[in-house]
Amino acid sequence: MSISPDDIRKMKGSRPIAMLTCYDYSMARAMDSAGIPLLLVGDSLGNVILGFDRTRNVTMQDMLRHTAAVARAVENAMVVADLPSGSYESKQQAIENSQKLLDVGAAAVKPEGKPEIAAEICKAGIDVMGHLGLLPQTAEKLGVKGKDTAEAKQIMGDAIALEKAGCFSLVLECVPEQLGKEITAAIGIPTIGIGAGRHCDGQVLVSYDMLGLFQGFQPRFVKRYANLSEEIENACRKFKEEVEKGVFPGEQHCSK
Ligand code: KIV
């Protein structure tokens, strides 16, 4: 049975929640088998899969294709799909595009900011994960948000609004640890932090960063759990060497 938004809600205060971004079938199988309860088909696929500088180049077509691939793989994890830039400008567009992501297998959607739009998607009966702090789709500059009192107040107000809107959880990206702590204490839904300190109810990382697959800029909050790009490079070198020396294919690799 797959994990539901209610299961995630109940994890607040009982056990920390692990979420990873996921973009394809094989990786989704591995993450699901590892027991990761939440897989986010993030629009960070624009950076780590498609090679763009920013996530704003990601389209609905990109999100539908990758969400479907992840959804085909999972047995237990809950699949959340990002609404890409420009896909939730109006209430009607937001609901239509959320429904399309559900139709290919997402269990919930994640818009960035916009509590009023999140409220409309929730009203349509669709589960929503909120996202506040650094909003990469619209941010002028990437970096920590909520350092000054006015911005911190705004983020806190939006967090309360997203809970009222009916969101089942909230991603907090790149906010000071103290603000992450205060929001986590102020709202009844789980906060899932990325660069938001140790007091959130859960943590999310971009899988390509934590696996050491992405060689671009690494923010301070990333912890590397593997160095897969090095392993891949070594395997490719070995393959090339064996082909060039006539070692591969061996007899066992030949069709009879
Ligand atoms: O797209 C993404 O990877 C995200 C995470 C940063 C939470 O939204």
Side-chain angles (χ1 to χ4, degrees), residues 1-248:
M1 257 245 306
S2 43
I3 289 163
S4 70
D6 255 3
D7 296 330
I8 300 296
R9 265 202 193 91
K10 284 183 200 145
M11 286 164 83
K12 187 176 178 91
S14 64
R15 71 181 162 110
I17 304 163
M19 177 162 92
L20 283 172
T21 65
C22 187
Y23 318 103
D24 70 77
Y25 177 85
S26 302
M27 205 80 104
R29 296 244 351 210
M31 290 177 185
D32 195 38
S33 298
I36 302 289
L38 272 170
L39 300 188
L40 171 66
V41 187
D43 62 359
S44 50
L45 70 84
N47 306 111
V48 301
I49 304 280
L50 301 176
F52 292 121
D53 278 352
R54 297 289 300 259
T55 56
R56 19 179 110 111
N57 305 72
V58 175
T59 63
M60 266 307 286
Q61 211 182 358
D62 295 327
M63 291 308 304
L64 290 170
R65 198 164 177 81
H66 286 274
T67 300
V70 169
R72 276 194 284 274
V74 299
E75 282 176 12
N76 295 307
M78 178 175 173
V79 178
V80 181
D82 266 346
L83 278 161
S85 176
S87 72
Y88 50 106
E89 298 298 305
S90 68
K91 164 187 166 183
Q92 196 189 341
Q93 189 199 23
I95 294 170
E96 274 172 22
N97 282 323
S98 298
Q99 190 57 54
K100 285 183 188 165
L101 289 163
L102 260 51
D103 291 344
V104 297
V109 297
K110 176 168 78 59
E112 290 186 2
K114 297 197 181 185
E116 9 25 89
I117 290 281
E120 296 297 338
I121 305 172
C122 290
K123 266 192 225 155
I126 295 170
D127 289 302
V128 178
M129 173 181 275
H131 184 155
L132 293 174
L134 174 63
L135 307 177
Q137 290 175 7
T138 48
E140 295 278 311
K141 237 176 64 190
L142 304 181
V144 181
K145 301 291 167 194
K147 281 201 205 178
D148 64 75
T149 317
E151 203 172 44
K153 261 190 164 171
Q154 171 76 45
I155 297 172
M156 174 64 89
D158 283 351
I160 293 166
L162 284 169
E163 180 184 14
K164 280 206 182 111
C167 290
F168 73 95
S169 60
L170 171 64
V171 165
L172 287 177
E173 178 165 359
C174 266
V175 298
E177 183 170 55
Q178 182 59 25
L179 181 58
K181 184 177 181 181
E182 285 169 17
I183 293 174
T184 301
I187 62 176
I189 55 172
T191 56
I192 302 178
I194 174 160
R198 292 162 290 185
H199 306 286
C200 293
D201 299 298
Q203 298 291 331
V204 54
L205 283 176
V206 171
S207 53
Y208 273 49
D209 291 339
M210 60 80 80
L211 293 171
L213 261 173
F214 184 62
Q215 294 301 302
F217 170 72
Q218 296 288 293
R220 169 191 159 96
F221 56 76
V222 172
K223 180 171 178 184
R224 281 209 164 171
Y225 289 82
N227 194 349
L228 293 194
S229 66
E230 197 176 297
E231 282 213 35
I232 291 170
E233 202 177 308
N234 287 339
C236 294
R237 266 186 227 292
K238 181 104 178 126
F239 169 71
K240 175 176 176 275
E241 193 183 299
E242 290 199 355
V243 169
E244 288 174 354
K245 286 187 176 156
V247 173
F248 177 82

